Amino acid sequence: MTPRNVLVIGANRGLGHGLLKVFKENGYNVFGTIRPQTRSDPSFEDLKATGATIIDLDYLQEDSIAAAADLYGPDKPLDLLINCGGIEMYPENWLDTTAESLIYKYRVMTVGPFLASKYFLPSLKKSEFGKIVNITSEWASVAANNCGTHISYRVPKSALNALSISIAIELKAAQENIAVLCVDPGDVPTKLSRWAGDIDLNDSVRGMYEQIEQATIEDTDIFSMDIWMVFLDSPEVGAIQVLDA
């Protein structure tokens, strides 16, 4: 069997780095992106050590996303596109949030995955069954928001969920064999969370891997009505639950 290909955007640290390593362990050809300005960071050496093919990509620069897709190759099958780049949740109080920070996080966590999905679509179409995986959060849920706070994180992630549903519906209408999934990793201590969280990173990425692997094209049908998330802080690690957007 020909090894499948996975591209993880934001692969030099945290959840992205962990996911890339798990997919490599399971026989995938792994491609990981890093922002060009981060190549001087020690995390670049960690990414190199995985043996992944490294591609420069910055969610804030559309031309860099287009260039990354061209470098990957529009005629090369891409079985999995994982949008994992993110920004920390703070500030907590909405009155401390500036318009600039809200727009900045929206560009990274909503517009970036939109552009990546758009530019890598030709490669996803070359796969027998392609999957776009957007890393979301329980914090993105409108229905489950009972405490407010962290508005500059919640709003872009909620928009990412809406974006994911719309893309899933349009791909289905176009009869493309591509599923779109939203996956919540749980509260994992990473640099992005300022090391807060009680879910082990390895448990999280392995749970996400299992759910991503098990997903079928039929999941997009359900997904068009609800957000599917992996709640790794639930009693059953890796259990899928349905949560209203």
Side-chain angles (χ1 to χ4, degrees):
M1 178 183 293
T2 303
R4 289 178 291 174
N5 300 324
V6 57
L7 172 68
V8 181
I9 296 181
N12 56 307
R13 62 165 65 98
L15 292 168
H17 188 69
L19 280 167
L20 185 142
K21 290 195 295 183
V22 170
F23 277 98
K24 183 177 176 62
E25 288 173 9
N26 284 276
Y28 275 77
N29 293 323
V30 291
F31 299 78
T33 78
I34 189 168
R35 291 181 299 135
Q37 60 269 39
T38 311
R39 282 181 172 262
S40 60
D41 189 270
S43 63
F44 176 60
E45 297 301 320
D46 295 335
L47 179 55
K48 281 176 61 178
T50 66
T53 300
I54 300 173
I55 300 174
D56 287 342
L57 185 151
D58 188 339
Y59 272 150
L60 294 171
Q61 302 292 332
E62 182 171 355
D63 58 352
S64 86
I65 300 172
D70 187 61
L71 180 63
Y72 177 84
D75 294 324
K76 181 190 300 181
L78 179 59
D79 302 289
L80 268 166
L81 170 65
I82 302 181
N83 285 301
C84 196
I87 305 292
E88 70 172 10
M89 298 176 65
Y90 299 92
E92 182 174 350
N93 191 309
W94 73 278
L95 293 174
D96 295 328
T97 302
T98 64
E100 290 76 13
S101 68
L102 185 59
I103 292 168
Y104 172 68
K105 290 181 182 180
Y106 178 77
R107 289 180 64 198
V108 171
M109 294 192 288
T110 309
V111 179
F114 159 72
L115 291 172
S117 300
K118 179 179 178 180
Y119 281 106
F120 282 96
L121 182 59
S123 299
L124 287 160
K125 286 183 176 182
K126 295 292 182 181
S127 171
E128 291 183 6
F129 176 33
K131 298 176 186 177
I132 299 170
V133 179
N134 294 325
I135 304 300
T136 185
S137 171
E138 184 180 8
W139 292 80
S141 171
V142 175
N145 182 359
N146 56 12
C147 66
T149 74
H150 303 93
I151 194 169
S152 65
Y153 182 83
R154 288 183 185 273
V155 172
K157 286 293 189 182
S158 294
L160 176 63
N161 290 350
L163 170 77
S164 301
I165 291 173
S166 293
I167 292 175
I169 292 171
E170 294 208 33
L171 288 173
K172 180 186 175 184
Q175 297 184 323
E176 300 289 355
N177 196 33
I178 301 171
V180 183
L181 309 168
C182 279
V183 182
D184 176 9
D187 293 327
V188 180
T190 64
K191 184 177 181 181
L192 185 146
S193 68
R194 296 187 182 179
W195 308 108
D198 55 3
I199 306 299
D200 180 76
L201 187 144
N202 287 324
D203 289 340
S204 173
V205 296
R206 292 184 188 282
M208 287 192 287
Y209 169 81
E210 292 297 330
Q211 296 300 335
I212 292 167
E213 282 290 278
Q214 292 171 17
T216 68
I217 193 64
E218 284 75 22
D219 291 324
T220 286
D221 297 341
I222 298 170
F223 181 81
S224 67
M225 296 179 287
D226 297 284
I227 300 298
W228 282 83
M229 296 182 181
V230 177
F231 286 102
L232 292 153
D233 49 355
S234 67
E236 181 183 351
V237 172
I240 287 185
Q241 299 180 11
V242 179
L243 180 69
D244 258 344

